[in-house]
Amino acid sequence: MSSLPLDPAAPLWDLSYLLEQLGGDSEDLAVARELARTFVARFPESLRDLEQALATGEAALLARVAHQIKGICAIFAAAPCVARAQRLETLAGAGEMATALVEGRELLQMLRLLVVEIGNFAAGPLEPGVE
């Protein structure tokens, strides 16, 4: 399975989708930033879980962690991450571990970039128009 091409200029997540899911008004920006801050604070645990699953090479664990990551990334409409996590879950579930491990390492790199992107957004003000 080959790597997905990744445009470094393209965002890994969709803020407009998140805002739409929250209701779509300007006050939802503060809620979105708070969600982003929570993500940045808690997601490193998911990254550690993925690293551990990759290190053990245990298929069931890897599939379970990929499933959890897929759900978290879906909240932020992080489509490239969701797609890669889905592939990892499927591969691990099928016992195709050589390919799953490669996919998992690539997902891990992508997720680290996602944390930076969401972290940059999270660093903004809680209230709209406040710097």
Side-chain angles (χ1 to χ4, degrees), residues 53 56-67 89 91-95 97:
T56 65
E58 184 183 326
L61 177 61
L62 193 53
R64 187 171 51 253
V65 169
H67 181 78
E89 181 181 5
L91 288 166
M97 291 308 293

Side-chain angles (χ1 to χ4, degrees), residues 97-112:
M97 291 308 293
T99 307
L101 292 173
V102 170
E103 196 71 28
R105 286 188 290 275
E106 291 179 4
L107 174 61
L108 188 58
Q109 291 176 326
M110 187 180 284
L111 293 171
R112 288 178 177 143

Side-chain angles (χ1 to χ4, degrees), residues 11-90:
L12 288 172
W13 69 293
D14 186 347
L15 174 59
S16 62
Y17 174 84
L18 178 61
L19 291 172
E20 180 182 309
Q21 296 308 303
L22 293 171
D25 63 42
S26 62
E27 294 175 8
D28 294 323
L29 184 61
V31 175
R33 284 200 201 282
E34 192 57 38
L35 281 172
R37 287 183 174 116
T38 300
F39 171 85
V40 170
R42 295 187 179 167
F43 197 68
E45 183 178 328
S46 295
L47 294 177
R48 284 189 298 275
D49 290 346
L50 179 55
E51 289 170 340
Q52 181 181 7
L54 289 168
T56 65
E58 184 183 326
L61 177 61
L62 193 53
R64 187 171 51 253
V65 169
H67 181 78
Q68 291 167 347
I69 287 171
K70 179 178 66 175
I72 295 166
C73 290
I75 293 168
F76 291 91
C81 298
V82 170
R84 192 170 291 274
Q86 175 62 56
R87 266 195 311 284
L88 175 57
E89 181 181 5
T90 300

Side-chain angles (χ1 to χ4, degrees), residues 1 29 43 46 96 115 126:
M1 185 172 275
L29 184 61
F43 197 68
S46 295
E96 297 179 30
V115 170
L126 282 177

